[in-house]
Amino acid sequence: MIKWGIIAPGTIANAFAKEVKNTKDGILTAVYGRNNDKTKEFAKKHNIENYYSDIDEFFKDENIDAVYIATPHNYHMQYAKKCIEAKKHILCEKPFSYNYKTSEEVLNLARKSNIFIMEALWTLFLPAVNQAKKWIEEDKIGKVKLVTANFGFNSNEDINSRLYNPCLAGGALLDVGIYPILFSDFMIGSFPKKIKADAEFTNTKVDESDIINLKYENGVLASLTCSISADTDNTAIIYGEKGKIVIPKFWSAKESYLYFEDRKEEFIDSYKEAGYKYEIEEANRCIKNKALESTIASHNITLELAKIMDEIRNQIGLIYPFE
């Protein structure tokens, strides 16, 4: 069994912890949080044996094989480095880091230290998303011409929220914009050669909503949006010469629909939980096989995503105080 520890017992960590139990080769053994009472409560809720409010004690725990990092974005790098020093394998929430330079630094350090590390790009492992990819590869919709995807929700502007705090690498792009970019790259099977972006900013100086246009070498175009101030329909559509594929809530997809030649096919994932299980199983498999990276959520994908978001941030003028 791969014995997992969790850093930062928040909302996303709750979802992760719930699904580790549904994997064949994973078990939760420890959790670290700065607030001892909340960490103890989290451990009790998920039947985790050891809980820590001292990060050094957490890393001394020899019963931890791998660590899931669920902190705000700007802390990912420092905790990943601590994991590497402690010889713990890593699954790090997206975005992997706040820019390309720091992402590359951590990945290189992990590789040199023979530590498995993967960005938690869980969308890539969802059966409904992979069924859509299979339909494309089977030429069901012909040559792909256009991809559209949007991810947006309405939230209150609050400097104390990680979403709106520039010191916590807040804003729409890093939090939710990464999903439509990842989805587009995955379905098209390459990375964009041209990027054009614009954004509206909050009073706290982070991006509130973004519109991102991508052009790929094969001529495919993508029109993507993200927002933390507007509820969007959160749907992705892949348009081809002969049909289209529609995926509601694409980043957490449970279903996908194929429309072609006046016919319709559908795929429904019967798994009832959110779907983090699939990425955890991939991490478990890689660690057991002594692989340093996943062939699906590869280091190259992480770096290309960081490069794309760096360019978008450059175009919209988003710079964090700690950079």
Side-chain angles (χ1 to χ4, degrees):
M1 300 292 285
I2 303 301
K3 299 181 286 292
W4 285 91
I6 293 175
I7 292 178
T11 302
I12 193 72
N14 267 291
F16 176 88
K18 195 173 182 180
E19 295 197 46
V20 171
K21 301 167 188 174
N22 295 334
T23 67
K24 184 176 67 173
D25 299 315
I27 187 171
L28 285 171
T29 59
V31 58
Y32 160 77
R34 289 179 295 180
N35 184 303
N36 188 67
D37 291 339
K38 288 183 178 179
T39 306
K40 181 179 179 180
E41 183 181 338
F42 183 95
K44 183 178 179 180
K45 177 181 178 180
H46 295 288
N47 195 29
I48 300 172
E49 183 177 357
N50 297 312
Y51 62 93
Y52 302 92
S53 55
D54 183 318
I55 191 63
D56 293 325
E57 291 302 312
F58 173 82
F59 281 118
K60 287 178 184 176
D61 189 335
E62 296 181 356
N63 205 35
I64 300 172
D65 298 317
V67 174
Y68 172 62
I69 300 173
T71 65
H73 317 324
N74 60 308
Y75 295 118
H76 289 176
M77 180 178 68
Q78 73 179 64
Y79 282 116
K81 284 184 174 181
K82 285 181 176 293
C83 287
I84 293 167
E85 290 172 5
K87 302 299 181 183
K88 312 294 187 187
H89 301 291
I90 304 162
L91 178 63
C92 181
E93 253 315 315
K94 55 88 215 149
F96 186 76
S97 190
Y98 51 84
N99 62 22
Y100 180 91
K101 182 180 178 181
T102 54
S103 297
E104 184 180 44
E105 179 184 346
V106 172
L107 290 173
N108 287 341
L109 186 60
R111 180 169 290 279
K112 289 177 183 176
S113 303
N114 291 315
I115 297 296
F116 168 81
I117 189 167
M118 184 177 90
E119 185 174 9
L121 302 173
W122 66 303
T123 302
L124 297 180
F125 302 95
L126 298 175
V129 170
N130 281 282
Q131 180 59 59
K133 181 76 169 179
K134 184 179 178 183
W135 282 331
I136 293 171
E137 291 170 346
E138 292 172 346
D139 200 38
K140 290 290 183 71
I141 63 171
K143 177 178 168 53
V144 174
K145 305 297 288 186
L146 177 67
V147 174
T148 64
N150 62 81
F151 189 170
F153 57 89
N154 192 10
S155 61
N156 295 323
E157 186 170 322
D158 179 4
I159 188 62
N160 295 313
S161 164
R162 67 171 183 81
L163 289 173
Y164 289 90
N165 191 336
C167 294
L168 297 179
L173 177 64
L174 265 61
D175 200 73
V176 292
I178 187 173
Y179 283 108
I181 297 169
L182 171 68
F183 179 86
S184 178
D185 289 353
F186 180 61
M187 289 300 166
I188 294 169
S190 64
F191 303 109
K193 65 175 184 178
K194 289 185 180 180
I195 301 168
K196 190 173 178 63
D198 206 348
E200 185 66 21
F201 278 71
T202 67
N203 293 321
T204 63
K205 309 301 181 185
V206 299
D207 56 316
E208 177 182 272
S209 300
D210 302 75
I211 183 164
I212 304 158
N213 294 312
L214 306 177
K215 185 173 183 178
Y216 295 81
E217 290 286 353
N218 53 9
V220 185
L221 301 177
S223 179
L224 317 172
T225 62
C226 60
S227 180
I228 55 174
S229 66
D231 291 316
T232 61
D233 66 12
N234 298 332
T235 297
I237 305 177
I238 307 150
Y239 296 93
E241 292 176 322
K242 301 188 295 185
K244 66 180 179 180
I245 299 169
V246 179
I247 309 179
K249 293 185 179 179
F250 67 94
W251 75 93
S252 60
K254 289 292 186 183
E255 55 200 64
S256 51
Y257 301 92
L258 168 67
Y259 300 88
F260 71 113
E261 298 174 352
D262 298 323
R263 288 186 289 161
K264 177 183 176 181
E265 290 184 20
E266 65 179 36
F267 174 89
I268 308 295
D269 185 2
S270 60
Y271 182 59
K272 300 303 181 185
E273 302 295 345
Y276 297 103
K277 175 183 79 167
Y278 303 117
E279 70 173 3
I280 301 168
E281 288 178 334
E282 170 70 359
N284 289 340
R285 183 190 66 78
C286 289
I287 293 168
K288 287 180 69 174
N289 293 332
K290 302 187 184 305
L292 298 184
E293 66 177 299
S294 165
T295 57
I296 301 169
S298 67
H299 293 178
N300 186 50
I301 288 176
T302 288
L303 290 174
E304 287 294 337
L305 282 172
K307 190 181 296 184
I308 292 166
M309 291 193 293
D310 276 4
E311 175 57 26
I312 292 169
R313 287 178 54 206
N314 180 58
Q315 290 188 20
I316 66 176
L318 176 59
I319 302 172
Y320 294 117
F322 50 81
E323 291 185 288

